[in-house]
Amino acid sequence: MNKDSRLHYIDNLRSLALLLGIVFHAALAYSPFFRNIWFTADPSTHGLFDYITHTLHLFRMPLFFIIAGFCSTLLIDKSSNARFLHHRSKHILLPFIVFLPFSFAVYYHALSFGAGIANPIPPIFAVFKVIKEPVVSTMHLWFLWNLFQFCLIHWLLKTTNLLGNKFDALSAHPLFMWVVLPIVLTFSLMGQSIPFPAPDKLTPQLWSYGFYGSFYWLGVGLNKKQQLICSYHKYLWPLILGVALSLTGYFSLLPAAPSLDDV
């Protein structure tokens, strides 16, 4: 691969994940499992949407963080540590700061407007009424907030040369990918609900560092060993079989949908 040429497969992958986000959020309204959670829940539901929403949720956002780590390494290699921090602040932190107040306003208007016209009102609105001390949420901008934290850590490691290039190389090592990564992901999710929530708090959430942070560093390592990505097509059918088996196990162990009291 030519390092100076644009990696169109990354653009295509990111575009596909974005389009699947539309499918995911639309399907949430018709999922029986998410009926008491999602604020646009429709009275008409079908079990098929449970499979769509859970399957997409399991890989879509981790994929975004892998791509983010991959592209962050491209930026550092093409520029410098200082320019990397300036670029990430301009393209991630600034949009987060600017659009967070707008997101609050839009959500407030949408929920107020929806409560007046929806019939029946989605069950989650009953929960909104009894919340006395709401926690400030970054809402759908949580991805930007968490990603900037990971980029800042990435910049600090590069600037201080704390680990040299060892960490970049280790993040694509087979031992990390097949042993360390599953262990870290498991421990990170042990205290979380199923399906795992969005780390949307303003304060840093350690489980997000272990979970999404691991995928970010996996992306960093894959950038250093792009030939690995090219070689995976040889194992397409074994990978598909592994996905099918893991999804079967996930759905067989999936707990009952949360009640309003649970929410």
Side-chain angles (χ1 to χ4, degrees), residues 147-167:
L147 177 56
F148 183 75
Q149 295 173 51
F150 300 154
C151 289
L152 186 60
I153 294 172
H154 194 177
W155 172 79
L156 286 171
L157 289 174
K158 286 291 186 181
T159 302
T160 59
N161 199 29
L162 187 61
L163 297 174
N165 293 319
K166 293 180 180 179
F167 202 86

Side-chain angles (χ1 to χ4, degrees), residues 148-223:
F148 183 75
Q149 295 173 51
F150 300 154
C151 289
L152 186 60
I153 294 172
H154 194 177
W155 172 79
L156 286 171
L157 289 174
K158 286 291 186 181
T159 302
T160 59
N161 199 29
L162 187 61
L163 297 174
N165 293 319
K166 293 180 180 179
F167 202 86
D168 291 356
L170 288 174
S171 57
H173 193 280
L175 184 64
F176 173 81
M177 297 177 66
W178 300 107
V179 179
V180 176
L181 183 62
I183 292 174
V184 173
L185 297 181
T186 300
F187 278 99
S188 299
L189 292 180
M190 284 183 66
Q192 303 305 313
S193 60
I194 299 175
F196 49 86
D200 59 349
K201 307 299 185 293
L202 278 173
T203 53
Q205 296 176 259
L206 292 180
W207 78 266
S208 175
Y209 280 54
F211 186 69
Y212 289 116
S214 294
F215 286 115
Y216 178 92
W217 284 112
L218 176 61
V220 171
L222 288 175
N223 178 272

Side-chain angles (χ1 to χ4, degrees), residues 15-194:
S15 299
L16 178 61
L18 284 168
L19 291 172
L20 287 177
I22 300 174
V23 177
F24 170 71
H25 288 94
L28 284 171
Y30 306 100
S31 165
F33 188 94
F34 290 95
R35 184 175 182 276
N36 291 329
I37 301 176
W38 195 236
F39 54 85
T40 59
D42 193 274
S44 302
T45 60
H46 194 284
L48 173 64
F49 292 100
D50 279 349
Y51 292 98
I52 294 173
T53 52
H54 281 276
T55 300
L56 292 179
H57 179 69
L58 286 171
F59 79 88
R60 200 176 62 86
M61 293 312 300
L63 175 61
F64 273 123
F65 280 100
I66 292 175
I67 295 173
F70 187 98
C71 294
S72 290
T73 306
L74 282 177
L75 283 173
I76 288 180
D77 290 345
K78 289 183 177 180
S79 55
S80 64
N81 293 345
R83 288 189 64 185
F84 169 74
L85 185 61
H86 177 267
H87 184 280
R88 297 287 82 183
S89 298
K90 180 180 177 181
H91 290 83
I92 298 176
L93 182 61
L94 182 60
F96 172 78
I97 294 173
V98 170
F99 287 102
L100 186 61
F102 286 102
S103 298
F104 282 128
V106 169
Y107 267 73
Y108 180 79
H109 172 72
L111 293 176
S112 302
F113 178 74
I117 64 171
N119 186 23
I121 296 176
I124 191 67
F125 279 80
V127 178
F128 294 154
K129 292 179 181 179
V130 300
I131 295 178
K132 297 180 180 179
E133 297 181 3
V135 178
V136 177
S137 170
T138 56
M139 298 175 288
H140 278 74
L141 300 182
W142 69 265
F143 173 76
L144 294 177
W145 183 231
N146 279 258
L147 177 56
F148 183 75
Q149 295 173 51
F150 300 154
C151 289
L152 186 60
I153 294 172
H154 194 177
W155 172 79
L156 286 171
L157 289 174
K158 286 291 186 181
T159 302
T160 59
N161 199 29
L162 187 61
L163 297 174
N165 293 319
K166 293 180 180 179
F167 202 86
D168 291 356
L170 288 174
S171 57
H173 193 280
L175 184 64
F176 173 81
M177 297 177 66
W178 300 107
V179 179
V180 176
L181 183 62
I183 292 174
V184 173
L185 297 181
T186 300
F187 278 99
S188 299
L189 292 180
M190 284 183 66
Q192 303 305 313
S193 60
I194 299 175

